Amino acid sequence: MISWGISACTHDASLAVVRTEPFGEDDEILFASHSERFSGIKNDAFLNPEIIMEAKKYGEPDYVYWYENPWLKWTRKKYANQPRAWLSPKKYLSNFGIKSPYYTTHHKAHAAAGYYTSPFKSSAILVVDAIGEWTTTSIWKDMKCIWTSKYPDSLGLFYSAMTDRIGLKANEDEYILMGMSAYGDPDRFYDDIKPLLKQNLHRGCKWWNPDLKEEDYFDVAAATQKVYEEQFGKLLFTTARLTDQTNLVFMGGCALNCLANRIIPQYFANHWIMPNPGDAGSSIGAIAAREHKKLKWKTPYLGYNIEGGYPTSDILANLVALKICGVANGRAEFGPRALGNRSLLADPKGSQMKDVVNKIKKRQEFRPFAPVILESEVHKYFDVPEGFQSPYMQHVVRCKEPELFPAIVHKDGTSRVQTVNDEQHSGLTRLLQRWKTYSGHPILLNTSLNIKGEPIVNDEKDAARFEKKYGVKVCVR
Ligand SMILES: [Fe+2]
């Protein structure tokens, strides 16, 4: 049987294809991608014929699942006085010739995407996001919901409102606020910001502190992160107490706050965050919530395929000659991070590289990049035990030699590290081994391969456009 899961019509639409075996143990994820990669519109909320055509390569769907409950969502929109034109997923999907979907609920799809892809037999599940239907935070034990908070009480809405307040784009730029927080004074606005948690922040808080100047934004970001982490700590405590579990699955858009996630080990011995924990990941969750079976989580490389072997020699030659090189090869990553298949790679040493890459990416100068490193050597460069794994760039750890790698170390001395081993990605592992032979270090800067304002490169055509626009070689095969 082929099942399709769809998350669409809010933001960052996605489609997943899963092979389900009625009597089998595990279902297999065949394909998952963001709509934006095919339309070229960043965070595209809607499906397009191209992603549907790609999905059909894996089989016509026997069942279709939608990531939330449209009736419940309508009641909340009515309560919130939002424009509430009735969205019928059935009618919407019929425009693409897709059959009627089965529904689940927004938080159940988040919980299922995490729980059924996790390595745990039993676990607590915490879901924290801005808003779906009514639920904004939920705690589960093995897919049984045991605690919720409801709209308008929402930690995710708080974080998005503060993102909007400092002139960034809500539901998109929260990670920039998180990065800014390292540069500010967390106490200056703390007493003013904390009470905002009690407000309905659905429509932002532009009204808060009208005299706020741009030079204050870093302090606002630092206080926002501090308030968020305090509340997040309380939620982790409550989750541990209510479930009596040592394993945690953490999902929802807030699970992308990797800075705050460093406190999870204070409450849980083990945790799993599916690499695409926001609403786009719920295309997988919509299927899992109804199928109630483990999904084989083998890899995040689930999107469009650029065929051919990993071009290790070409990448290395470009890195040696120019210290920077793009790569677009194999299946695209499902999720917000480029993990080696749609990446811009560069030498992380020296004081110039951060500026060089920032100029291409046109990012704010204060933002550092992330490193990719051989898993077998990560403990030599970062303050982690031997064998430490962070294959999806979800962990923030302290760098032992920040002055040696200024392009990949944040102001607070930490890096959001990606570890890689042969089983996860043999081509990238080989590249790092050979890069070490040449440079002395098994570590590269790794950032997503995208033109400013556009989604991450998807196919060969996108790669060629990037290469032409920035004059940086993109190795395809
Ligand atoms: Fe959500």
Side-chain angles (χ1 to χ4, degrees):
M1 295 283 194
I2 294 291
S3 294
W4 281 20
I6 291 166
S7 164
C9 299
T10 307
H11 57 94
D12 197 10
S14 75
L15 196 161
V17 181
V18 169
R19 183 193 293 124
T20 52
E21 306 281 350
F23 304 106
E25 289 258 303
D26 298 328
D27 292 346
E28 185 168 10
I29 306 166
L30 301 176
F31 170 83
S33 180
H34 302 250
S35 228
E36 60 164 23
R37 310 287 166 89
F38 291 84
S39 69
I41 301 164
K42 200 171 178 195
N43 286 323
D44 194 349
F46 302 102
L47 297 175
N48 53 70
E50 290 76 17
I51 192 173
I52 290 164
M53 253 166 55
E54 187 65 23
K56 282 186 177 176
K57 288 182 186 169
Y58 299 88
E60 290 279 345
D62 298 295
Y63 297 100
V64 177
Y65 299 102
W66 187 259
Y67 78 120
E68 56 185 12
N69 182 313
W71 291 102
L72 269 180
K73 191 165 184 169
W74 186 84
T75 60
R76 192 264 300 152
K77 281 188 165 181
K78 186 165 187 253
Y79 173 85
N81 267 328
Q82 281 178 272
R84 50 182 189 277
W86 163 245
L87 167 82
S88 162
K90 180 179 167 182
K91 199 166 164 213
Y92 174 69
L93 294 180
S94 73
N95 296 328
F96 296 97
I98 301 173
K99 59 171 70 177
S100 295
Y102 293 95
Y103 302 133
T104 182
T105 57
H106 191 97
H107 269 229
K108 191 172 183 183
H110 275 312
Y115 179 73
Y116 290 115
T117 56
S118 79
F120 309 133
K121 275 208 167 80
S122 182
S123 74
I125 309 167
L126 173 64
V127 180
V128 189
D129 67 359
I131 188 166
E133 295 107 357
W134 286 91
T135 304
T136 55
T137 303
S138 57
I139 296 172
W140 309 62
K141 187 175 180 180
D142 297 336
M143 288 308 295
K144 184 174 186 296
C145 188
I146 51 178
W147 185 89
T148 60
S149 73
K150 304 278 188 205
Y151 174 87
D153 176 17
S154 168
L155 197 49
L157 280 181
F158 162 75
Y159 209 90
S160 291
M162 298 313 294
T163 302
D164 174 66
R165 180 64 191 87
I166 61 172
L168 298 167
K169 208 168 168 191
N171 288 329
E172 198 169 313
D173 289 340
E174 281 76 4
Y175 69 102
I176 300 178
L177 183 150
M178 181 181 74
M180 289 170 70
S181 68
Y183 292 83
D185 172 2
D187 297 320
R188 186 171 157 223
F189 289 109
Y190 175 83
D191 291 335
D192 298 328
I193 286 177
K194 196 171 178 191
L196 293 177
L197 281 171
K198 293 199 167 67
Q199 301 279 339
N200 183 343
L201 300 177
H202 194 173
R203 289 174 181 82
C205 59
K206 281 268 179 7
W207 45 266
W208 173 74
N209 200 343
D211 298 328
L212 202 66
K213 307 269 186 311
E214 215 170 314
E215 55 264 34
D216 300 323
Y217 287 177
F218 286 94
D219 293 339
V220 171
T224 300
Q225 183 69 17
K226 183 176 174 176
V227 170
Y228 173 84
E229 288 187 16
E230 279 178 1
Q231 299 305 310
F232 180 48
K234 285 180 193 170
L235 284 172
L236 289 169
F237 174 79
T238 305
T239 307
R241 192 173 53 82
L242 290 179
T243 61
D244 200 24
Q245 285 277 341
T246 54
N247 300 326
L248 175 75
V249 169
F250 180 35
M251 293 293 288
C254 292
L256 288 166
N257 194 322
C258 52
L259 194 58
N261 292 349
R262 72 193 187 289
I263 63 179
I264 295 173
Q266 293 173 24
Y267 301 90
F268 290 90
N270 313 294
H271 72 273
W272 164 254
I273 299 168
M274 198 267 255
N276 200 352
D279 287 0
S282 289
S283 54
I284 288 177
I287 302 170
R290 298 287 299 235
E291 293 283 336
H292 309 289
K293 271 193 294 174
K294 280 282 182 191
L295 291 160
K296 280 182 198 150
W297 182 264
K298 291 182 190 161
T299 175
Y301 308 104
L302 293 162
Y304 179 81
N305 189 26
I306 297 180
E307 285 179 18
Y310 202 69
T312 310
S313 297
D314 273 2
I315 301 169
L316 187 67
N318 278 280
L319 285 172
V320 169
L322 303 163
K323 296 182 182 297
I324 186 164
C325 183
V327 55
N329 176 270
R331 296 193 67 177
E333 296 86 348
F334 182 49
R337 313 259 176 264
L339 300 169
N341 280 6
R342 299 293 186 276
S343 287
L344 185 61
L345 302 169
D347 185 348
K349 292 196 300 301
S351 54
Q352 305 297 315
M353 192 45 76
K354 189 166 103 177
D355 297 339
V356 170
V357 185
N358 262 329
K359 221 168 170 183
I360 293 171
K361 303 275 292 188
K362 296 194 172 56
R363 307 199 324 173
Q364 298 87 341
E365 276 169 31
F366 64 86
R367 294 172 56 201
F369 294 93
V372 57
I373 185 169
L374 285 178
E375 182 191 303
S376 55
E377 306 220 19
V378 64
H379 59 286
K380 296 177 188 166
Y381 294 86
F382 296 93
D383 201 6
V384 294
E386 204 172 335
F388 171 83
Q389 292 190 328
S390 177
Y392 312 120
M393 220 182 252
Q394 291 172 323
H395 298 271
V396 173
V397 297
R398 193 160 296 282
C399 184
K400 287 180 175 174
E401 297 185 80
E403 58 294 329
L404 196 58
F405 306 108
I408 51 95
V409 181
H410 211 33
K411 186 173 181 277
D412 58 6
T414 62
S415 303
R416 196 184 65 219
V417 72
Q418 178 196 356
T419 60
V420 65
N421 64 31
D422 198 44
E423 199 184 325
Q424 285 152 7
H425 199 313
S426 58
L428 189 55
T429 302
R430 214 164 48 246
L431 174 68
L432 286 165
Q433 286 163 343
R434 291 176 66 182
W435 174 248
K436 184 192 171 188
T437 306
Y438 165 76
S439 72
H441 305 288
I443 178 167
L444 284 166
L445 178 157
N446 177 12
T447 186
S448 57
L449 190 71
N450 66 296
I451 290 172
K452 171 76 178 167
E454 292 189 14
I456 296 176
V457 161
N458 198 43
D459 59 14
E460 295 90 332
K461 261 195 343 252
D462 297 340
R465 277 181 57 236
F466 182 96
E467 188 172 296
K468 194 171 167 204
K469 185 168 174 73
Y470 296 119
V472 173
K473 175 75 184 163
V474 179
C475 299
V476 173
R477 56 177 67 86

